[in-house]
Amino acid sequence: MNNADSSNSVAANVRPIARTSLGEEIMAQIVDLIKRDVLRPGDRLPPERELCKRFGVGRSSLREALRSLSAMGVIDGRVGEGTFVSDNQQFVQKALQWGMLLNRKMVGDLIETRLMLESETAFWAAQRAAEEDMRRIEEALSDMAEALEDGAQFLAADVRFHLAVAGATQNALLASLLEATRGYLQAWIERSLAEEGRALDRARLSLQQHEDIVRALRAGDAQAARTAMVEHVLSSSEDLRAQFTAAGA
């Protein structure tokens, strides 16, 4: 797609912003354009003046959204050239994952799905986990403890923990379902840990909750494992919902 075509396509697909959280909504719309291939890797976004007009927002709101997308690696700002969708497919995929977390309804759907899925993985893992499964789970927990102040490493270990619990169910379909949501799970954890000023506190609480889950798994107490996982998922989901409240979404 050439630059003129991409500009015309974007113009035809954006709409004035009606929500209170302007930056979040602008981000959500741009992510949606990428998801629907209206914008593709390497495409240049229209000039700021045109985007402001099409979205019906001021330049400060637009720039706030573009800065956030740039920090996520979804877009690249090139001095003297403009703003482009990243050529890196990993970042484009990340945009789709974060896009789910920019929409209140989708966040609610994800919370429901994760709650149902992970509470059951914990329940069955407590009854079926082999020693090798427990070794993987406890290794991930240990890595989390060592990475409390390293967000990226903590995130990787956290995701590995949940996938290891799913694997311990010995139910290939159940494990595959959680694996299928891996990107959204990672985006959830990453966003909950990214809350300014609370990242370390959130990581410490998360570690404590994971320790509770492991104790129940080790004891073979299926109901306690389910309860501990439910408490963890609900706790982290409160952080996601709070971000919408704080943003006025």
Side-chain angles (χ1 to χ4, degrees):
M1 183 184 296
N2 61 41
N3 292 329
D5 288 342
S6 68
S7 179
N8 290 335
S9 295
V10 172
N13 282 274
V14 300
R15 56 193 182 278
I17 302 303
R19 284 169 48 180
T20 304
S21 180
L22 300 180
E24 293 276 342
E25 176 64 14
I26 294 167
M27 290 172 66
Q29 284 206 40
I30 292 175
V31 165
D32 184 60
L33 293 174
I34 295 171
K35 183 177 180 180
R36 294 189 288 117
D37 286 333
V38 176
L39 282 172
R40 298 178 180 177
D43 281 353
R44 184 172 66 187
L45 272 64
E48 285 188 4
R49 184 187 300 273
E50 181 178 341
L51 285 174
C52 286
K53 180 179 179 181
R54 293 289 177 178
F55 284 126
V57 300
R59 185 160 292 186
S60 62
S61 295
L62 176 67
R63 287 181 173 174
E64 175 191 348
L66 295 181
R67 278 195 300 270
S68 296
L69 289 172
S70 179
M72 290 161 55
V74 174
I75 60 175
D76 296 320
R78 304 174 192 171
V79 177
E81 296 183 50
T83 303
F84 296 78
V85 178
S86 174
D87 286 319
N88 190 317
Q89 289 294 324
Q90 176 185 352
F91 288 143
V92 173
Q93 180 61 34
K94 186 174 182 179
L96 303 185
Q97 296 163 4
W98 274 75
M100 189 173 205
L101 302 186
L102 293 173
N103 180 291
R104 182 189 292 270
K105 173 61 167 62
M106 294 301 285
V107 166
D109 290 348
L110 180 58
I111 290 171
E112 279 186 8
T113 301
R114 187 182 176 194
L115 192 60
M116 290 186 286
L117 188 58
E118 294 223 60
S119 63
E120 290 307 299
T121 62
F123 181 85
W124 291 108
Q127 300 178 69
R128 298 173 176 172
E131 188 56 37
E132 179 62 18
D133 295 316
M134 289 306 305
R135 184 193 65 77
R136 282 193 291 267
I137 292 169
E138 290 172 343
E139 185 177 88
L141 181 67
S142 177
D143 289 345
M144 289 173 66
E146 292 178 6
L148 272 175
E149 298 187 31
D150 185 331
Q153 291 300 317
F154 188 91
L155 167 66
D158 196 336
V159 173
R160 197 165 70 249
F161 177 97
H162 288 277
L163 294 178
V165 172
T169 65
Q170 315 306 329
N171 182 320
L173 183 56
L174 194 55
S176 293
L177 286 172
L178 190 63
E179 177 67 36
T181 68
R182 180 188 188 123
Y184 299 122
L185 172 63
Q186 182 168 324
W188 173 329
I189 298 170
E190 184 174 358
R191 185 155 182 171
S192 68
L193 292 173
E195 187 176 355
E196 188 175 354
R198 289 200 60 221
L200 185 56
D201 288 343
R202 177 65 244 177
R204 285 172 175 154
L205 176 59
S206 179
L207 178 64
Q208 178 185 323
Q209 292 168 341
H210 284 74
E211 289 170 345
D212 292 341
I213 294 167
V214 169
R215 276 193 291 272
L217 293 175
R218 266 293 176 197
D221 190 332
Q223 190 55 54
R226 174 188 277 159
T227 298
M229 183 65 81
V230 166
E231 289 178 355
H232 169 58
V233 173
L234 290 177
S235 173
S236 59
S237 69
E238 287 174 4
D239 289 334
L240 285 182
R241 293 190 189 277
Q243 290 182 46
F244 278 92
T245 300

